[in-house]
Amino acid sequence: MANLKYSRQRASIKDYLAGTVEHPTADTVYMHVKEEFPNISLGTVYRNLNLLADIGDAVKITTPDGGDRFDGRTEPHYHVVCGSCGKVEDLEMSSEEIASINDAADSIFDGKITSHSTLFYGTCKECLEKEK
């Protein structure tokens, strides 16, 4: 891919993603970046989020409700989607545990597994406490 022209708006979006663990939607990113760039459009935010995901500077998480979430943490890791509130959280697993999933799949696949993407579903701690 050709070198991208520097964009202050894109840099602001990337910085916002890097500074949060919330896995925001494009609308949430838009609301925060709009504070710094009042004239930015939602379309510009969407385009830049997708571009950041395409070039590996962000992770796009497609959730079952149809709303994409974005993550500034790009090293291999998993996510859990709460079926009650829709929150997306990181699921911390060691690189050995992640590699073991690749190895298990590779052992039954007539080819070569090099990576995978997994989204877990459950109920977050806060929703479990509300149910009590």
Side-chain angles (χ1 to χ4, degrees):
M1 177 176 276
N3 286 340
L4 292 174
K5 181 179 169 187
Y6 175 79
S7 160
R8 290 184 319 128
Q9 293 172 333
R10 186 179 320 114
S12 179
I13 291 167
K14 184 176 174 183
D15 288 346
Y16 175 71
L17 288 178
T20 184
V21 296
E22 296 299 317
H23 305 88
T25 63
D27 290 336
T28 301
V29 174
Y30 170 70
M31 295 308 296
H32 282 86
V33 174
K34 192 169 177 60
E35 294 172 7
E36 183 179 355
F37 298 98
N39 295 325
I40 194 169
S41 72
L42 182 57
T44 297
V45 171
Y46 271 103
R47 281 190 299 280
N48 279 286
L49 285 168
N50 285 307
L51 177 62
L52 289 169
D54 288 346
I55 64 175
D57 285 345
V59 174
K60 183 178 185 178
I61 306 160
T62 301
T63 61
D65 67 4
D68 292 329
R69 303 295 191 96
F70 294 88
D71 191 351
R73 183 177 167 199
T74 59
E75 72 272 3
H77 67 287
Y78 295 123
H79 297 99
V80 179
V81 177
C82 177
S84 295
C85 69
K87 179 170 59 172
V88 177
E89 294 184 29
D90 289 335
L91 180 63
E92 300 301 333
M93 294 178 76
S94 70
S95 57
E96 292 81 18
E97 290 167 321
I98 292 173
S100 72
I101 295 172
N102 278 349
D103 293 342
D106 197 40
S107 71
I108 58 172
F109 176 64
D110 190 20
K112 179 68 179 156
I113 300 290
T114 57
S115 68
H116 67 276
S117 174
T118 302
L119 191 59
F120 292 92
Y121 303 91
T123 305
C124 71
K125 181 180 175 181
E126 289 82 12
C127 287
L128 284 175
E129 289 174 1
K130 288 178 190 175
E131 291 174 4
K132 289 181 183 177

